[in-house]
Amino acid sequence: FALNEQIDLTNCEREPIHLLGAIQPTGCLIATSDDWRIRRVSANIGAHLGREPDDLLGELLNDVLSHKAMHDIGGRLHLLRGPNAMERLFGVPLQDGGVPYDLAIHMVEDTIVIEAEPSDLEDGLEAGTTVRGMIARLHQAEGFEGLCREAVRQIRGLTGFHRVMLYRFDHDGAGEVIAESAASFLSSFLGLRFPASDIPKQARLLYERNWLRLIGDIKAEPVPLVPQLDSRGKPLDLSISVLRSVSPIHIEYLGNMGVHASMSISVIRKGKLWGLIACHHNEPLRLAFERRTAAELFGQIFSLLLESRERDAELARVAEANKVHNRLMASLGAMRPGTRSLTDFLDMLGEVLPCDGIGLWSAGGTALRGHTPSTEEFAGLVRFLNRTASGSIYSTYNLGEVHAPARDYADRAAGILAIPLSRGPRDYLVFFRREVSRSVTWAGDPNKPMAVGPNGVRLTPRKSFAAWRQTVEGQCQPWTDSDMQMAERVRITLLEVVLQLADMAERERR
Ligand code: BLA
């Protein structure tokens, strides 16, 4: 990648967002070699240390900072283990008699990076007590959804953002707003979906390493580092920086959205980015480093709780499906002579898996319930299955891709899970799901005027939403592992029943 390559909407994934060489103006940055010689500073350093970059570069940091500051910083260095480690100090005067600063210290290879922001003495946060209280309320929240709702409420309380959302990523990197706490003057984003491209891949990878980023004021001029390139011609890697100035493309996006300040906290499950707690403010917002640290800690604990709650919710769903399954077994067992086919049990079968419609194709009768293809279309689908599904369960969330005629009925059935009921002439039980975008509608205010930047309307939430719709056109919500497991159980039960039915029919004939 060439640093001077023009970045636009077509090549966002190539923007080296960790190498942009600038920080936000709420603090300053000093980078030294491992023997404390100053190698780089932010251009605004004079406002903080009273000495300009030219005067500082090449100096020893010991000759610039107070003895106490050096002692405190030095004491943290040995704690920095691993590539993502960062140490924090709060309320440390950098120079004798100077104002206190909050410090973030990390290492990039053999470079020591110190970022300093003036402490907010008014803030008065009791971080420990506050986070404890927040987590106690998380524990009290009921269920998975309750937990998510409580989390956004707590973060809004801690930070004062106008809007706090929990944004969860899908299997394909697209995302959905699954919880929201917002000021009453804002229209809701709850339930909205956005395409993967709104948060490009390199940003996601970065957010797995660095849990929080704040853009306090999108209008603030970034402060360049001096010099941009070191003696080896390399820019400073700002991946772990807390003041990193963010991508101008993203700044434009926020501006188009009418957002003045943005923050996001990573939600990580099993080492992978599961989602973000995304925050918006319609005015610039300053948030002391200690408060951000509390928010980050909260995000980490929320991530852990989420994992177990999600598992609980999944178990509850499976238990529910099992109940239906058992009820089904009982009814089938008690089947009276005269019952000829499974069609009588279709409604009950439809409850075993989340679906929008269900169909049975069998010698004993064909039936359709809910959103499904027509009988004729179903016949075509069964011919397709006979060619494709060699006796085992077949599923797809994009039927139109493999069976062209299905494109005409994606609004009713975009995806299928088909259970074969016999080996010979093929009988099937088929679960149908509608196109996912059918069930999601834009919730933002369509009449609200918005400013649009140089990269055009694509960088607005409404266009994003439209772009998401395009990427999932013709697709349903994918079938999950537990859907597949349940389908397998249903298959085994039904094979048994089909044999019984055949047996019964045989006896009646005699
Ligand atoms: C980053 N994009 C982000 C971030 C979010 C979003 C949350 C993380 C940075 C932050 O905390 O602000 C997207 N924000 C959203 C979405 C919602 C929201 C979807 O509130 C919905 C409610 N962005 C685009 C397009 C491109 C793009 C089309 O929309 C590129 C083609 C780029 N987004 C982009 C980049 C970043 C980003 C480069 C990284 C910013 C950085 O960390 O430097």
Side-chain angles (χ1 to χ4, degrees), residues 76-151:
R76 294 304 180 95
L77 278 195
H78 72 282
L79 297 173
L80 293 173
R81 299 259 162 74
N84 304 337
M86 191 243 285
E87 280 293 313
R88 302 157 205 248
L89 288 167
F90 301 103
V92 180
L94 290 176
Q95 293 169 314
D96 287 325
V99 298
Y101 278 79
D102 296 338
L103 307 181
I105 305 154
H106 73 277
M107 292 201 70
V108 185
E109 294 169 8
D110 51 4
T111 300
I112 302 167
V113 181
I114 301 162
E115 295 168 276
E117 294 167 76
S119 307
D120 182 352
L121 299 173
E122 316 270 86
D123 186 295
L125 173 72
E126 300 227 14
T129 316
T130 304
V131 176
R132 266 179 67 166
M134 291 169 72
I135 289 161
R137 255 153 282 148
L138 273 191
H139 276 296
Q140 285 156 14
E142 290 213 8
F144 172 73
E145 281 170 26
L147 181 81
C148 296
R149 262 200 311 273
E150 193 57 39

Side-chain angles (χ1 to χ4, degrees), residues 144 148-149 166-168 176-180 190-192 274:
F144 172 73
C148 296
R149 262 200 311 273
L166 182 61
Y167 188 66
R168 177 178 63 190
E176 176 182 4
V177 178
I178 64 165
E180 180 184 53
L190 190 63
L192 291 189
W274 177 93

Side-chain angles (χ1 to χ4, degrees), residues 7-13 15-18 20 163 165 167 169 175-177 180 189 192-204 206-207 212-215 244-251 253-254 257 259 261-265 276-280 442 458-461 464 467:
I7 293 294
D8 55 33
L9 292 183
T10 63
N11 60 1
C12 280
E13 302 224 328
E15 185 179 23
I17 59 173
H18 60 306
L20 299 182
R163 183 201 300 280
M165 297 167 282
Y167 188 66
F169 296 123
E176 176 182 4
V177 178
E180 180 184 53
F189 279 7
L192 291 189
R193 312 264 193 138
F194 300 93
S197 55
D198 279 22
I199 312 178
K201 201 183 277 151
Q202 80 280 25
R204 287 162 204 259
L206 183 56
Y207 301 167
L212 183 143
R213 58 232 60 90
L214 169 69
I215 307 158
R244 180 177 63 85
S245 160
V246 308
S247 157
I249 294 265
H250 182 54
I251 295 285
Y253 180 90
L254 293 171
M257 210 193 289
V259 167
S262 169
M263 182 175 88
S264 57
I265 309 167
L276 294 171
I277 299 176
C279 314
H280 292 166
W442 172 258
R458 166 61 186 89
L459 285 177
T460 59
S464 264

